[in-house]
Amino acid sequence: MRVMVMVKATKDSEQGVMPSTELLEAMGKYNEELVKAGIMLSGDGLKPSSQGKRIAFDGPKRSVIDGPFAETRELVAGYWIWEVRDMAEAVEWAKRCPNPMPGPSELEIRPFYEMADFGEAATPEIAERFDRLREDAKKR
Amino acid sequence: MASTDINSTVETVFRIEQARLIAGLTRMLRDVGLAEELAQDALVTALSEWPASGVPDNPGAWLLAVAKRRAIDRLRRAKMQERKHAEIGRDLDEDRGDDVERRDAALDDDIGDDLLNLIFIACHPVLSPEARAALTLRLIAGLTISEIARAFLSTEPTIAQRITRAKKVLQESGVAYEAPRGEARVLRLASVLEVIYLIFNEGYAATAGDDLVRADLCGEARRLGRILIGVAPDEPEAFGLLALMEIQASRLKARVGADGEAIPLPEQNRAQWDRLLIRRGLEALARAEALGGADGAYALQAAIAACHAHTGRAEDTDWAHIARLYDRLGQIVPSPVIELNRAVAHSMAFGPEAGLALLAPLETEATLRGYLPLYAAKGDFLFRAGRYAEARAAFDKAAGLSRNTAERNFLLKRAAACGPARPVMR
């Protein structure tokens, strides 16, 4: 299964405090472990929300909101995408991560939807749409 | 924490550590069967101690220490020859802090890595490909016997016996536990790649009704491929194989229709292809080429897969390029099946007559007798050449060979599109 492991933002990450040499080193080693275990697909760090934007939807209306955003703990400062056997494996690997922030911090693991999750319920419409897409592709 | 929770935590941690644990023990004991047994003993100890003590900070080191103690106990009990005892005892006392020495060894045309060595042993050519696959899934991927049995549509006793016999063969044939070098290494690596691709194809052959464990073999194989490039980062064909598997896996979702029928590549909804896996595949291919491996059998197949992956619409496919890649692949690993694919590529690039010309010699090929794709391709070439009566005969023949209803219906539909049956004009 594929999971996204999110590094939640903290006051430090939101202020753009760069990680210490020790942390960079520990993180480098940890990333190497993930690669060697064959579970790492991708991963990166994100700049503080002060450099981000939000698009708010309300019916047909769209408004753009500039960062920074409040609720620091709900923001994401970085992520990995892993391929693991189950959530238990993801949890064990996440526990091995060096604390990514100078202070208390959190990782959040969220599994991706897989085809099997949609099951029977979504099949007819989705299948029809895909069939149409296929037909369109053939016509073009 | 409830006892079932802690038990599953212990098992998960063990699964993560298992391959390296067995690899380290194998180096010390020169007996992969004994190494696996001791690793299991360590798991039993962990299951009894961790619920009270908690999971140690460095569970890998903890498990290794327990297994080493068990090894020494056993050796004492078994009263091994004095010399051997001393030798193994010395190895066991060696700390893991010999990194510098090992790095030097690695520079010295050595592999310098226990895990890679264990992979080489599990994939040793003295074993049958099936035995190698089972042993690799057991020792490196950490699958249980029951999982392997389900994945290979087999029974637990069969798989257990296959693995036991494999370990016995390894022990009796006196397989060297040293890393292979030079020419031997090339052959042994080829054996490793073959096993990983075999596991991948078992998963790829799984159908919608199959056990999920079976389809997951694709994931296990890709994980093994990634582990392999981690421990053998200079092997272009390891990257070539990984590239091939990542790109093929990118189409897993798109290749099955709502009714479980297979959707051929040109008709797949390309929006469903997994971009992340394609990107990873292209990166691995670039690495294989940078290492001088563009001409490797896996790299060439990956390049063909990549050519499709790059192309947004089926009709934009650069078939001339694909035909050239097949020409080269056919020179490196000549095989009737590759020749058939080459014929298809040539028919798409240069017209149906070009395909028919390459197909003609294959029709007398003994290994392709009764091979459905040969007749399906022939029907397609003839149809496109406007030779409908002959095309119909070929599609009918292919349909008669199919054991799958959806596939047979597809072929019969193509036969019907050729017009009414009538004797072939001579």
Side-chain angles (χ1 to χ4, degrees), chain A residues 2 33 36 38 40-41 83 85 89 92 96 115 127 130 134 137 140, chain B residues 9 13 17 20 141 220 222-223 226 263 267 269 272 274 280 315:
Chain A
R2 196 175 286 186
E33 291 278 303
K36 283 199 167 159
M40 162 101 112
L41 292 187
E83 213 164 67
R85 294 203 178 88
E89 188 183 18
E92 285 313 315
R96 294 175 182 209
M115 232 15 192
F130 288 158
R134 273 212 297 276
R140 259 182 293 153
Chain B
T9 301
V13 170
E17 299 298 338
R20 273 181 297 183
E220 293 297 343
R222 286 187 299 118
R223 185 195 281 233
R226 293 191 207 115
I263 302 174
E267 284 160 41
N269 171 14
Q272 271 190 305
D274 190 323
R280 291 188 50 86
E315 55 270 41

PDB file of all heavy atoms in Angstrom, chain A residues 2 33 36 38 40-41 83 85 89 92 96 115 127 130 134 137 140, chain B residues 9 13 17 20 141 220 222-223 226 263 267 269 272 274 280 315:
ATOM      1  N   ARG A   2       0.289   2.317  -0.514  1.00  0.00           N
ATOM      2  CA  ARG A   2       1.052   3.554  -0.577  1.00  0.00           C
ATOM      3  C   ARG A   2       0.548   4.497   0.504  1.00  0.00           C
ATOM      4  O   ARG A   2      -0.658   4.602   0.705  1.00  0.00           O
ATOM      5  CB  ARG A   2       0.846   4.174  -1.962  1.00  0.00           C
ATOM      6  CG  ARG A   2       1.848   5.228  -2.295  1.00  0.00           C
ATOM      7  CD  ARG A   2       1.660   5.714  -3.699  1.00  0.00           C
ATOM      8  NE  ARG A   2       2.127   4.757  -4.691  1.00  0.00           N
ATOM      9  CZ  ARG A   2       2.157   5.027  -5.998  1.00  0.00           C
ATOM     10  NH1 ARG A   2       1.732   6.185  -6.444  1.00  0.00           N
ATOM     11  NH2 ARG A   2       2.610   4.135  -6.837  1.00  0.00           N
ATOM     12  N   GLU A  33      18.223   4.821   4.948  1.00  0.00           N
ATOM     13  CA  GLU A  33      17.607   3.577   5.440  1.00  0.00           C
ATOM     14  C   GLU A  33      16.309   3.269   4.701  1.00  0.00           C
ATOM     15  O   GLU A  33      16.053   2.123   4.333  1.00  0.00           O
ATOM     16  CB  GLU A  33      17.286   3.711   6.936  1.00  0.00           C
ATOM     17  CG  GLU A  33      18.502   3.755   7.841  1.00  0.00           C
ATOM     18  CD  GLU A  33      19.007   2.351   8.123  1.00  0.00           C
ATOM     19  OE1 GLU A  33      18.217   1.543   8.630  1.00  0.00           O
ATOM     20  OE2 GLU A  33      20.177   2.072   7.808  1.00  0.00           O
ATOM     21  N   LYS A  36      17.147   2.066   1.266  1.00  0.00           N
ATOM     22  CA  LYS A  36      17.705   0.707   1.263  1.00  0.00           C
ATOM     23  C   LYS A  36      16.666  -0.343   1.622  1.00  0.00           C
ATOM     24  O   LYS A  36      16.776  -1.492   1.230  1.00  0.00           O
ATOM     25  CB  LYS A  36      18.897   0.625   2.220  1.00  0.00           C
ATOM     26  CG  LYS A  36      20.139   1.247   1.620  1.00  0.00           C
ATOM     27  CD  LYS A  36      21.394   0.778   2.312  1.00  0.00           C
ATOM     28  CE  LYS A  36      22.604   1.174   1.491  1.00  0.00           C
ATOM     29  NZ  LYS A  36      23.819   1.190   2.297  1.00  0.00           N
ATOM     30  N   GLY A  38      13.808  -0.184   0.529  1.00  0.00           N
ATOM     31  CA  GLY A  38      12.998  -0.306  -0.683  1.00  0.00           C
ATOM     32  C   GLY A  38      11.597   0.267  -0.545  1.00  0.00           C
ATOM     33  O   GLY A  38      10.733  -0.038  -1.343  1.00  0.00           O
ATOM     34  N   MET A  40      10.882   3.772  -0.003  1.00  0.00           N
ATOM     35  CA  MET A  40      10.762   5.203  -0.318  1.00  0.00           C
ATOM     36  C   MET A  40      10.488   5.420  -1.801  1.00  0.00           C
ATOM     37  O   MET A  40      11.236   4.959  -2.655  1.00  0.00           O
ATOM     38  CB  MET A  40      12.062   5.888   0.070  1.00  0.00           C
ATOM     39  CG  MET A  40      12.226   7.228  -0.570  1.00  0.00           C
ATOM     40  SD  MET A  40      11.846   8.545   0.536  1.00  0.00           S
ATOM     41  CE  MET A  40      13.485   9.229   0.724  1.00  0.00           C
ATOM     42  N   LEU A  41       9.404   6.130  -2.104  1.00  0.00           N
ATOM     43  CA  LEU A  41       9.125   6.479  -3.498  1.00  0.00           C
ATOM     44  C   LEU A  41       9.493   7.919  -3.780  1.00  0.00           C
ATOM     45  O   LEU A  41       9.948   8.246  -4.886  1.00  0.00           O
ATOM     46  CB  LEU A  41       7.638   6.274  -3.813  1.00  0.00           C
ATOM     47  CG  LEU A  41       7.093   4.858  -3.832  1.00  0.00           C
ATOM     48  CD1 LEU A  41       5.663   4.853  -4.326  1.00  0.00           C
ATOM     49  CD2 LEU A  41       7.945   3.945  -4.704  1.00  0.00           C
ATOM     50  N   GLU A  83       5.975   3.084   0.012  1.00  0.00           N
ATOM     51  CA  GLU A  83       5.208   1.893  -0.328  1.00  0.00           C
ATOM     52  C   GLU A  83       5.516   0.851   0.731  1.00  0.00           C
ATOM     53  O   GLU A  83       6.649   0.399   0.839  1.00  0.00           O
ATOM     54  CB  GLU A  83       5.616   1.397  -1.719  1.00  0.00           C
ATOM     55  CG  GLU A  83       4.477   0.773  -2.473  1.00  0.00           C
ATOM     56  CD  GLU A  83       4.782   0.649  -3.951  1.00  0.00           C
ATOM     57  OE1 GLU A  83       5.675  -0.136  -4.302  1.00  0.00           O
ATOM     58  OE2 GLU A  83       4.144   1.351  -4.734  1.00  0.00           O
ATOM     59  N   ARG A  85       3.870  -2.565   3.381  1.00  0.00           N
ATOM     60  CA  ARG A  85       2.926  -3.690   3.319  1.00  0.00           C
ATOM     61  C   ARG A  85       1.621  -3.331   4.004  1.00  0.00           C
ATOM     62  O   ARG A  85       0.552  -3.720   3.580  1.00  0.00           O
ATOM     63  CB  ARG A  85       3.533  -4.912   3.980  1.00  0.00           C
ATOM     64  CG  ARG A  85       4.726  -5.411   3.223  1.00  0.00           C
ATOM     65  CD  ARG A  85       5.000  -6.871   3.493  1.00  0.00           C
ATOM     66  NE  ARG A  85       6.134  -7.251   2.679  1.00  0.00           N
ATOM     67  CZ  ARG A  85       7.385  -7.135   3.064  1.00  0.00           C
ATOM     68  NH1 ARG A  85       7.679  -6.665   4.272  1.00  0.00           N
ATOM     69  NH2 ARG A  85       8.364  -7.468   2.266  1.00  0.00           N
ATOM     70  N   GLU A  89       3.657  -1.384   9.387  1.00  0.00           N
ATOM     71  CA  GLU A  89       5.034  -1.182   8.924  1.00  0.00           C
ATOM     72  C   GLU A  89       5.339   0.310   8.810  1.00  0.00           C
ATOM     73  O   GLU A  89       6.421   0.772   9.202  1.00  0.00           O
ATOM     74  CB  GLU A  89       5.271  -1.881   7.580  1.00  0.00           C
ATOM     75  CG  GLU A  89       6.747  -1.828   7.191  1.00  0.00           C
ATOM     76  CD  GLU A  89       7.071  -2.445   5.841  1.00  0.00           C
ATOM     77  OE1 GLU A  89       6.147  -2.631   5.028  1.00  0.00           O
ATOM     78  OE2 GLU A  89       8.257  -2.698   5.603  1.00  0.00           O
ATOM     79  N   GLU A  92       6.020   1.700  12.255  1.00  0.00           N
ATOM     80  CA  GLU A  92       7.348   1.345  12.774  1.00  0.00           C
ATOM     81  C   GLU A  92       8.445   2.177  12.130  1.00  0.00           C
ATOM     82  O   GLU A  92       9.379   2.617  12.786  1.00  0.00           O
ATOM     83  CB  GLU A  92       7.626  -0.149  12.612  1.00  0.00           C
ATOM     84  CG  GLU A  92       6.872  -1.026  13.602  1.00  0.00           C
ATOM     85  CD  GLU A  92       6.961  -0.514  15.031  1.00  0.00           C
ATOM     86  OE1 GLU A  92       8.067  -0.137  15.479  1.00  0.00           O
ATOM     87  OE2 GLU A  92       5.913  -0.464  15.710  1.00  0.00           O
ATOM     88  N   ARG A  96      11.015   5.464  13.734  1.00  0.00           N
ATOM     89  CA  ARG A  96      12.484   5.517  13.626  1.00  0.00           C
ATOM     90  C   ARG A  96      12.998   6.860  13.116  1.00  0.00           C
ATOM     91  O   ARG A  96      14.202   7.091  13.054  1.00  0.00           O
ATOM     92  CB  ARG A  96      12.985   4.417  12.695  1.00  0.00           C
ATOM     93  CG  ARG A  96      12.724   3.053  13.277  1.00  0.00           C
ATOM     94  CD  ARG A  96      13.105   1.935  12.339  1.00  0.00           C
ATOM     95  NE  ARG A  96      12.763   0.674  12.988  1.00  0.00           N
ATOM     96  CZ  ARG A  96      13.396  -0.466  12.773  1.00  0.00           C
ATOM     97  NH1 ARG A  96      14.388  -0.504  11.909  1.00  0.00           N
ATOM     98  NH2 ARG A  96      13.037  -1.547  13.409  1.00  0.00           N
ATOM     99  N   MET A 115      -7.537   1.283  -5.928  1.00  0.00           N
ATOM    100  CA  MET A 115      -8.658   0.885  -6.766  1.00  0.00           C
ATOM    101  C   MET A 115      -9.656   0.035  -5.973  1.00  0.00           C
ATOM    102  O   MET A 115     -10.861   0.217  -6.075  1.00  0.00           O
ATOM    103  CB  MET A 115      -8.140   0.091  -7.958  1.00  0.00           C
ATOM    104  CG  MET A 115      -8.586   0.548  -9.327  1.00  0.00           C
ATOM    105  SD  MET A 115      -9.310   2.183  -9.482  1.00  0.00           S
ATOM    106  CE  MET A 115      -9.950   2.062 -11.139  1.00  0.00           C
ATOM    107  N   ALA A 127     -16.598   3.298 -14.798  1.00  0.00           N
ATOM    108  CA  ALA A 127     -16.297   2.483 -15.964  1.00  0.00           C
ATOM    109  C   ALA A 127     -16.828   3.168 -17.217  1.00  0.00           C
ATOM    110  O   ALA A 127     -16.140   3.246 -18.237  1.00  0.00           O
ATOM    111  CB  ALA A 127     -16.924   1.104 -15.810  1.00  0.00           C
ATOM    112  N   PHE A 130     -14.663   6.069 -18.113  1.00  0.00           N
ATOM    113  CA  PHE A 130     -13.407   5.636 -18.708  1.00  0.00           C
ATOM    114  C   PHE A 130     -13.625   5.123 -20.125  1.00  0.00           C
ATOM    115  O   PHE A 130     -12.823   5.363 -21.017  1.00  0.00           O
ATOM    116  CB  PHE A 130     -12.737   4.569 -17.840  1.00  0.00           C
ATOM    117  CG  PHE A 130     -12.164   5.129 -16.571  1.00  0.00           C
ATOM    118  CD1 PHE A 130     -11.924   4.324 -15.476  1.00  0.00           C
ATOM    119  CD2 PHE A 130     -11.849   6.478 -16.475  1.00  0.00           C
ATOM    120  CE1 PHE A 130     -11.397   4.842 -14.308  1.00  0.00           C
ATOM    121  CE2 PHE A 130     -11.317   7.021 -15.314  1.00  0.00           C
ATOM    122  CZ  PHE A 130     -11.097   6.203 -14.230  1.00  0.00           C
ATOM    123  N   ARG A 134     -11.909   6.491 -23.402  1.00  0.00           N
ATOM    124  CA  ARG A 134     -11.210   5.621 -24.349  1.00  0.00           C
ATOM    125  C   ARG A 134     -11.710   5.871 -25.765  1.00  0.00           C
ATOM    126  O   ARG A 134     -10.923   5.972 -26.699  1.00  0.00           O
ATOM    127  CB  ARG A 134     -11.445   4.155 -23.967  1.00  0.00           C
ATOM    128  CG  ARG A 134     -10.465   3.625 -22.969  1.00  0.00           C
ATOM    129  CD  ARG A 134     -10.192   2.150 -23.180  1.00  0.00           C
ATOM    130  NE  ARG A 134     -11.360   1.307 -22.999  1.00  0.00           N
ATOM    131  CZ  ARG A 134     -11.783   0.860 -21.823  1.00  0.00           C
ATOM    132  NH1 ARG A 134     -11.143   1.181 -20.731  1.00  0.00           N
ATOM    133  NH2 ARG A 134     -12.831   0.086 -21.744  1.00  0.00           N
ATOM    134  N   ALA A 137     -10.415   9.082 -27.033  1.00  0.00           N
ATOM    135  CA  ALA A 137      -9.001   8.972 -27.381  1.00  0.00           C
ATOM    136  C   ALA A 137      -8.847   8.313 -28.741  1.00  0.00           C
ATOM    137  O   ALA A 137      -7.986   8.680 -29.539  1.00  0.00           O
ATOM    138  CB  ALA A 137      -8.270   8.162 -26.317  1.00  0.00           C
ATOM    139  N   ARG A 140      -9.751  10.789 -31.616  1.00  0.00           N
ATOM    140  CA  ARG A 140      -8.818  11.879 -31.872  1.00  0.00           C
ATOM    141  C   ARG A 140      -7.708  11.472 -32.814  1.00  0.00           C
ATOM    142  O   ARG A 140      -7.256  10.345 -32.803  1.00  0.00           O
ATOM    143  CB  ARG A 140      -8.226  12.378 -30.555  1.00  0.00           C
ATOM    144  CG  ARG A 140      -8.920  13.659 -30.113  1.00  0.00           C
ATOM    145  CD  ARG A 140      -8.301  14.177 -28.833  1.00  0.00           C
ATOM    146  NE  ARG A 140      -8.565  13.265 -27.720  1.00  0.00           N
ATOM    147  CZ  ARG A 140      -7.763  13.169 -26.659  1.00  0.00           C
ATOM    148  NH1 ARG A 140      -6.681  13.868 -26.590  1.00  0.00           N
ATOM    149  NH2 ARG A 140      -8.064  12.347 -25.683  1.00  0.00           N
TER     150      ARG A 140
ATOM    151  N   THR B   9       3.113  -5.556  16.906  1.00  0.00           N
ATOM    152  CA  THR B   9       4.242  -4.619  16.813  1.00  0.00           C
ATOM    153  C   THR B   9       5.561  -5.388  16.733  1.00  0.00           C
ATOM    154  O   THR B   9       6.413  -5.090  15.895  1.00  0.00           O
ATOM    155  CB  THR B   9       4.275  -3.679  18.043  1.00  0.00           C
ATOM    156  OG1 THR B   9       3.045  -2.966  18.086  1.00  0.00           O
ATOM    157  CG2 THR B   9       5.428  -2.695  17.953  1.00  0.00           C
ATOM    158  N   VAL B  13       8.198  -5.220  13.654  1.00  0.00           N
ATOM    159  CA  VAL B  13       9.604  -4.835  13.838  1.00  0.00           C
ATOM    160  C   VAL B  13      10.506  -5.965  13.352  1.00  0.00           C
ATOM    161  O   VAL B  13      11.491  -5.746  12.645  1.00  0.00           O
ATOM    162  CB  VAL B  13       9.892  -4.511  15.329  1.00  0.00           C
ATOM    163  CG1 VAL B  13      11.389  -4.348  15.558  1.00  0.00           C
ATOM    164  CG2 VAL B  13       9.144  -3.251  15.749  1.00  0.00           C
ATOM    165  N   GLU B  17      13.503  -6.101  10.439  1.00  0.00           N
ATOM    166  CA  GLU B  17      14.893  -6.425  10.756  1.00  0.00           C
ATOM    167  C   GLU B  17      15.347  -7.755  10.178  1.00  0.00           C
ATOM    168  O   GLU B  17      16.544  -8.021  10.054  1.00  0.00           O
ATOM    169  CB  GLU B  17      15.072  -6.481  12.279  1.00  0.00           C
ATOM    170  CG  GLU B  17      14.780  -5.181  12.990  1.00  0.00           C
ATOM    171  CD  GLU B  17      15.710  -4.059  12.559  1.00  0.00           C
ATOM    172  OE1 GLU B  17      16.806  -4.361  12.041  1.00  0.00           O
ATOM    173  OE2 GLU B  17      15.326  -2.889  12.712  1.00  0.00           O
ATOM    174  N   ARG B  20      18.208  -8.386   7.349  1.00  0.00           N
ATOM    175  CA  ARG B  20      19.561  -8.017   7.770  1.00  0.00           C
ATOM    176  C   ARG B  20      20.071  -8.936   8.870  1.00  0.00           C
ATOM    177  O   ARG B  20      21.254  -9.260   8.934  1.00  0.00           O
ATOM    178  CB  ARG B  20      19.597  -6.561   8.235  1.00  0.00           C
ATOM    179  CG  ARG B  20      19.845  -5.615   7.073  1.00  0.00           C
ATOM    180  CD  ARG B  20      19.908  -4.190   7.528  1.00  0.00           C
ATOM    181  NE  ARG B  20      18.632  -3.766   8.114  1.00  0.00           N
ATOM    182  CZ  ARG B  20      18.397  -2.537   8.551  1.00  0.00           C
ATOM    183  NH1 ARG B  20      19.358  -1.631   8.498  1.00  0.00           N
ATOM    184  NH2 ARG B  20      17.225  -2.207   9.045  1.00  0.00           N
ATOM    185  N   ALA B 141      12.333 -10.842   1.550  1.00  0.00           N
ATOM    186  CA  ALA B 141      11.103 -10.059   1.680  1.00  0.00           C
ATOM    187  C   ALA B 141      10.400 -10.342   3.005  1.00  0.00           C
ATOM    188  O   ALA B 141       9.548  -9.579   3.427  1.00  0.00           O
ATOM    189  CB  ALA B 141      10.170 -10.362   0.509  1.00  0.00           C
ATOM    190  N   GLU B 220       6.164  -6.624  -4.075  1.00  0.00           N
ATOM    191  CA  GLU B 220       7.316  -7.282  -3.431  1.00  0.00           C
ATOM    192  C   GLU B 220       8.524  -7.279  -4.360  1.00  0.00           C
ATOM    193  O   GLU B 220       9.643  -7.038  -3.941  1.00  0.00           O
ATOM    194  CB  GLU B 220       6.973  -8.720  -3.038  1.00  0.00           C
ATOM    195  CG  GLU B 220       5.931  -8.862  -1.937  1.00  0.00           C
ATOM    196  CD  GLU B 220       6.372  -8.257  -0.606  1.00  0.00           C
ATOM    197  OE1 GLU B 220       7.574  -8.011  -0.420  1.00  0.00           O
ATOM    198  OE2 GLU B 220       5.490  -8.018   0.238  1.00  0.00           O
ATOM    199  N   ARG B 222       9.148  -5.212  -6.815  1.00  0.00           N
ATOM    200  CA  ARG B 222       9.706  -3.863  -6.962  1.00  0.00           C
ATOM    201  C   ARG B 222      10.491  -3.478  -5.721  1.00  0.00           C
ATOM    202  O   ARG B 222      11.530  -2.844  -5.796  1.00  0.00           O
ATOM    203  CB  ARG B 222       8.601  -2.857  -7.261  1.00  0.00           C
ATOM    204  CG  ARG B 222       8.108  -3.001  -8.706  1.00  0.00           C
ATOM    205  CD  ARG B 222       7.131  -1.928  -9.098  1.00  0.00           C
ATOM    206  NE  ARG B 222       5.946  -1.988  -8.263  1.00  0.00           N
ATOM    207  CZ  ARG B 222       5.540  -1.011  -7.459  1.00  0.00           C
ATOM    208  NH1 ARG B 222       6.220   0.115  -7.407  1.00  0.00           N
ATOM    209  NH2 ARG B 222       4.463  -1.147  -6.740  1.00  0.00           N
ATOM    210  N   ARG B 223       9.984  -3.896  -4.554  1.00  0.00           N
ATOM    211  CA  ARG B 223      10.730  -3.614  -3.333  1.00  0.00           C
ATOM    212  C   ARG B 223      12.091  -4.323  -3.371  1.00  0.00           C
ATOM    213  O   ARG B 223      13.120  -3.729  -3.052  1.00  0.00           O
ATOM    214  CB  ARG B 223       9.933  -4.062  -2.099  1.00  0.00           C
ATOM    215  CG  ARG B 223      10.608  -3.694  -0.793  1.00  0.00           C
ATOM    216  CD  ARG B 223      10.025  -4.427   0.388  1.00  0.00           C
ATOM    217  NE  ARG B 223       8.784  -3.863   0.871  1.00  0.00           N
ATOM    218  CZ  ARG B 223       8.571  -3.512   2.158  1.00  0.00           C
ATOM    219  NH1 ARG B 223       9.515  -3.645   3.048  1.00  0.00           N
ATOM    220  NH2 ARG B 223       7.423  -3.045   2.534  1.00  0.00           N
ATOM    221  N   ARG B 226      14.388  -2.472  -5.565  1.00  0.00           N
ATOM    222  CA  ARG B 226      14.921  -1.249  -4.944  1.00  0.00           C
ATOM    223  C   ARG B 226      15.976  -1.599  -3.900  1.00  0.00           C
ATOM    224  O   ARG B 226      16.972  -0.896  -3.747  1.00  0.00           O
ATOM    225  CB  ARG B 226      13.793  -0.462  -4.284  1.00  0.00           C
ATOM    226  CG  ARG B 226      12.813   0.083  -5.279  1.00  0.00           C
ATOM    227  CD  ARG B 226      11.877   1.060  -4.592  1.00  0.00           C
ATOM    228  NE  ARG B 226      10.624   1.081  -5.317  1.00  0.00           N
ATOM    229  CZ  ARG B 226       9.469   0.673  -4.822  1.00  0.00           C
ATOM    230  NH1 ARG B 226       9.391   0.235  -3.576  1.00  0.00           N
ATOM    231  NH2 ARG B 226       8.388   0.711  -5.551  1.00  0.00           N
ATOM    232  N   ILE B 263      -7.263  -4.936 -20.782  1.00  0.00           N
ATOM    233  CA  ILE B 263      -7.336  -3.875 -21.791  1.00  0.00           C
ATOM    234  C   ILE B 263      -5.955  -3.739 -22.427  1.00  0.00           C
ATOM    235  O   ILE B 263      -4.976  -3.488 -21.721  1.00  0.00           O
ATOM    236  CB  ILE B 263      -7.749  -2.532 -21.154  1.00  0.00           C
ATOM    237  CG1 ILE B 263      -9.101  -2.695 -20.463  1.00  0.00           C
ATOM    238  CG2 ILE B 263      -7.793  -1.426 -22.199  1.00  0.00           C
ATOM    239  CD1 ILE B 263      -9.539  -1.479 -19.690  1.00  0.00           C
ATOM    240  N   GLU B 267      -5.338   0.785 -25.995  1.00  0.00           N
ATOM    241  CA  GLU B 267      -6.678   1.226 -25.607  1.00  0.00           C
ATOM    242  C   GLU B 267      -6.775   1.641 -24.149  1.00  0.00           C
ATOM    243  O   GLU B 267      -7.840   2.023 -23.670  1.00  0.00           O
ATOM    244  CB  GLU B 267      -7.690   0.112 -25.895  1.00  0.00           C
ATOM    245  CG  GLU B 267      -8.003   0.003 -27.379  1.00  0.00           C
ATOM    246  CD  GLU B 267      -8.592  -1.346 -27.733  1.00  0.00           C
ATOM    247  OE1 GLU B 267      -9.429  -1.838 -26.955  1.00  0.00           O
ATOM    248  OE2 GLU B 267      -8.190  -1.895 -28.778  1.00  0.00           O
ATOM    249  N   ASN B 269      -6.665   3.790 -20.783  1.00  0.00           N
ATOM    250  CA  ASN B 269      -6.840   5.190 -20.443  1.00  0.00           C
ATOM    251  C   ASN B 269      -5.536   5.676 -19.797  1.00  0.00           C
ATOM    252  O   ASN B 269      -5.244   5.364 -18.651  1.00  0.00           O
ATOM    253  CB  ASN B 269      -8.012   5.327 -19.478  1.00  0.00           C
ATOM    254  CG  ASN B 269      -8.114   6.723 -18.908  1.00  0.00           C
ATOM    255  OD1 ASN B 269      -7.485   7.660 -19.413  1.00  0.00           O
ATOM    256  ND2 ASN B 269      -8.906   6.865 -17.870  1.00  0.00           N
ATOM    257  N   GLN B 272      -4.890   7.114 -16.369  1.00  0.00           N
ATOM    258  CA  GLN B 272      -4.842   6.244 -15.192  1.00  0.00           C
ATOM    259  C   GLN B 272      -3.439   5.706 -14.909  1.00  0.00           C
ATOM    260  O   GLN B 272      -3.235   5.049 -13.907  1.00  0.00           O
ATOM    261  CB  GLN B 272      -5.783   5.061 -15.398  1.00  0.00           C
ATOM    262  CG  GLN B 272      -7.189   5.324 -14.928  1.00  0.00           C
ATOM    263  CD  GLN B 272      -7.974   4.037 -14.942  1.00  0.00           C
ATOM    264  OE1 GLN B 272      -8.054   3.365 -15.966  1.00  0.00           O
ATOM    265  NE2 GLN B 272      -8.541   3.671 -13.828  1.00  0.00           N
ATOM    266  N   ASP B 274       0.176   5.517 -13.581  1.00  0.00           N
ATOM    267  CA  ASP B 274       0.718   6.084 -12.350  1.00  0.00           C
ATOM    268  C   ASP B 274       1.964   6.921 -12.670  1.00  0.00           C
ATOM    269  O   ASP B 274       3.033   6.384 -12.944  1.00  0.00           O
ATOM    270  CB  ASP B 274       1.055   4.920 -11.406  1.00  0.00           C
ATOM    271  CG  ASP B 274       1.407   5.386 -10.017  1.00  0.00           C
ATOM    272  OD1 ASP B 274       2.051   6.444  -9.885  1.00  0.00           O
ATOM    273  OD2 ASP B 274       1.042   4.688  -9.059  1.00  0.00           O
ATOM    274  N   ARG B 280       9.729   7.362 -11.604  1.00  0.00           N
ATOM    275  CA  ARG B 280      10.760   6.541 -10.960  1.00  0.00           C
ATOM    276  C   ARG B 280      11.404   5.598 -11.973  1.00  0.00           C
ATOM    277  O   ARG B 280      12.607   5.366 -11.950  1.00  0.00           O
ATOM    278  CB  ARG B 280      10.164   5.745  -9.796  1.00  0.00           C
ATOM    279  CG  ARG B 280       9.760   6.607  -8.609  1.00  0.00           C
ATOM    280  CD  ARG B 280       9.364   5.725  -7.445  1.00  0.00           C
ATOM    281  NE  ARG B 280      10.390   4.725  -7.206  1.00  0.00           N
ATOM    282  CZ  ARG B 280      11.459   4.930  -6.443  1.00  0.00           C
ATOM    283  NH1 ARG B 280      11.610   6.066  -5.818  1.00  0.00           N
ATOM    284  NH2 ARG B 280      12.357   3.982  -6.295  1.00  0.00           N
ATOM    285  N   GLU B 315      -1.793   6.854 -30.699  1.00  0.00           N
ATOM    286  CA  GLU B 315      -1.466   7.016 -32.118  1.00  0.00           C
ATOM    287  C   GLU B 315      -0.177   7.816 -32.339  1.00  0.00           C
ATOM    288  O   GLU B 315       0.333   7.874 -33.458  1.00  0.00           O
ATOM    289  CB  GLU B 315      -2.641   7.643 -32.888  1.00  0.00           C
ATOM    290  CG  GLU B 315      -3.137   8.955 -32.329  1.00  0.00           C
ATOM    291  CD  GLU B 315      -4.242   8.750 -31.298  1.00  0.00           C
ATOM    292  OE1 GLU B 315      -4.141   7.811 -30.471  1.00  0.00           O
ATOM    293  OE2 GLU B 315      -5.206   9.534 -31.306  1.00  0.00           O
TER     294      GLU B 315
END
